[in-house]
Amino acid sequence: MTMSLGPLFLVFVLGLVSTPPTLAQNNERYDKFLKQHYDAKPSGRDDRYCNHMMEDRDLTSPCKERNTFIHGKKKSIRAVCGENGNPYENNLRISISEFQVTTCSHIGGSPRPPCRYRASKDFRRIVIACENGLPVHFDESIISPKQADPSPRNGSASFLSPLNPEQ
């Protein structure tokens, strides 16, 4: 007994064509988010780590001023879009729990490579934008763990200046 692959092929092609473009676009935005901001198991978390990661993730042409890498499990980061996050201002979400993060800051000079970065390590809540349950944007503001409230009142938030983290 032989079976024709024609009907099976037709079902496969129809499945590809009927995939909603917005879902595919969200997955692309999620993939970009992961490329720019996710590193499950970092090694070092020092200036060398930042210099390597920023170049490896194509964030150095021109030199990106600041980028934060979130460490942990993808599932935990996605959960900020649901049960591990609260609504925040401007359609953002703030995590209920803290994440281990490394922020890489460009230390001046030319905006063209070779770029040099300074690393700072922290544990803090993250602020992200989500689409269809997936993180698609990391808010680069540095949140002061002592001042941030996961459910801000009056839409206000407490931030340290990204240009002067020593405030």
Side-chain angles (χ1 to χ4, degrees):
M1 185 176 207
T2 61
M3 183 175 173
S4 170
L5 292 179
L8 185 59
F9 181 72
L10 181 61
V11 169
F12 174 74
V13 170
L14 287 174
L16 288 177
V17 172
S18 66
T19 301
T22 55
L23 185 58
Q25 182 181 1
N26 284 338
N27 286 339
E28 287 175 18
R29 293 190 69 198
Y30 173 61
D31 290 342
K32 182 179 179 184
F33 171 87
L34 292 176
K35 180 180 178 184
Q36 289 184 343
H37 299 292
Y38 176 70
D39 185 24
K41 296 179 181 175
S43 59
R45 296 181 64 209
D46 55 10
D47 293 353
R48 261 184 22 190
Y49 166 83
C50 279
N51 291 326
H52 169 75
M53 289 298 290
M54 295 296 283
E55 187 173 337
D56 187 55
R57 302 292 176 96
D58 296 323
L59 301 172
T60 58
S61 188
C63 303
K64 188 172 181 182
E65 283 300 312
R66 178 183 302 266
N67 192 70
T68 300
F69 293 100
I70 307 165
H71 313 301
K73 297 181 180 177
K74 290 179 191 177
K75 183 172 117 176
S76 299
I77 298 169
R78 284 191 311 263
V80 176
C81 296
E83 73 276 359
N84 189 32
N86 286 325
Y88 204 63
E89 60 185 33
N90 298 327
N91 297 321
L92 297 172
R93 296 194 53 89
I94 186 167
S95 64
I96 294 170
S97 58
E98 292 185 341
F99 286 83
Q100 182 182 26
V101 297
T102 303
T103 300
C104 302
S105 300
H106 186 238
I107 56 175
S110 172
R112 288 180 266 167
C115 308
R116 292 186 358 202
Y117 290 92
R118 171 99 354 102
S120 60
K121 304 179 272 190
D122 201 0
F123 282 90
R124 67 172 191 247
R125 291 188 291 259
I126 60 171
V127 177
I128 60 175
C130 301
E131 288 180 6
N132 295 329
L134 297 173
V136 295
H137 171 74
F138 180 81
D139 185 25
E140 286 293 338
S141 300
I142 297 177
I143 301 168
S144 169
K146 294 175 185 162
Q147 296 175 350
D149 183 342
S151 54
R153 294 163 207 81
N154 304 341
S156 64
S158 298
F159 293 101
L160 291 176
S161 166
L163 300 176
N164 186 5
E166 306 303 323
Q167 281 184 328

